[in-house]
Amino acid sequence: MQRIIKDGAVVLDNWHLLDKDTTLDALPNSDNLIVPFKLWAEHAHALKARDGALGVWLDSDEQAEDIADDLANFQLIALNFPSFADGRNYSNARLLRERFGYTGELRAIGDVLRDQLFFYLRCGFNSFAVRADRDAEDALGSLQDFSEVYQSAVDQPQPLFRRRG
């Protein structure tokens, strides 16, 4: 089992992230699965009938709006960062939390590095699958890199000037 950061602690991951080429007939009935958006879009009815928990993952070229009406079906939404330089899913995270009101687990997957965790947190992520060649314990410390933030974000809706006495 992979170790992830979730809600400020390093824990063992009890979810299975499926590849983009996974087919419906290859799915176990009772495991906790994170399915690619395309599989969800094509087989939502069958996936909802499974016994295990269900999550979906969006690639950086897929939109939060495409799953907005289905959020109640997902215990977890994973947003893929295919490279360190591709930040499109930061926007999807904010949309899911602020516009669509998603309150479940929001996980960063892909090229997830220590340097980005604080900013992922600010956009609404609460779990992080740090890249396999990196240490999750070391990355956990980055969530405390800054003691105060100036701008408003998902994790602090009030900017600093509004919070000052």
Side-chain angles (χ1 to χ4, degrees):
M1 280 190 160
Q2 179 184 3
R3 292 168 21 118
I4 62 166
I5 297 172
K6 181 178 176 184
D7 297 326
V10 175
V11 299
L12 290 176
D13 187 13
N14 63 347
W15 288 85
H16 301 285
L17 180 70
L18 303 180
D19 294 327
K20 277 193 168 189
D21 59 351
T22 302
T23 59
L24 187 64
D25 58 323
L27 299 182
N29 186 45
S30 60
D31 288 348
N32 298 338
L33 301 179
I34 307 170
V35 301
F37 170 70
K38 183 178 178 188
L39 188 64
W40 168 256
E42 293 172 359
H43 303 287
H45 184 72
L47 290 167
K48 287 189 272 187
R50 292 180 57 260
D51 291 334
L54 183 63
V56 67
W57 67 272
L58 298 179
D59 216 341
S60 60
D61 62 345
E62 296 168 331
Q63 304 299 316
E65 289 87 349
D66 295 335
I67 60 170
D69 293 335
D70 300 316
L71 295 180
N73 296 298
F74 307 125
Q75 289 79 34
L76 183 151
I77 297 173
L79 300 177
N80 185 39
F81 291 85
S83 76
F84 180 83
D86 188 342
R88 291 177 283 179
N89 267 328
Y90 284 103
S91 298
N92 275 336
R94 289 202 67 175
L95 287 170
L96 287 166
R97 293 290 194 208
E98 295 174 334
R99 183 179 297 170
F100 303 122
Y102 182 70
T103 59
E105 183 176 345
L106 189 57
R107 181 178 297 182
I109 61 171
D111 195 18
V112 176
L113 302 173
R114 181 189 202 285
D115 295 349
Q116 300 162 300
L117 295 190
F118 183 80
F119 303 104
Y120 290 144
L121 186 68
R122 301 238 40 230
C123 290
F125 289 95
N126 65 314
S127 72
F128 317 92
V130 178
R131 209 168 73 186
D133 65 335
R134 304 302 167 108
D135 180 31
E137 289 288 345
D138 176 59
L140 179 62
S142 71
L143 296 178
Q144 305 302 318
D145 279 351
F146 302 98
S147 60
E148 191 60 77
V149 294
Y150 295 109
Q151 304 88 354
S152 62
V154 173
D155 67 336
Q156 177 51 264
Q158 293 290 320
L160 182 62
F161 76 91
R162 295 236 188 259
R163 289 180 272 139
R164 292 172 59 169

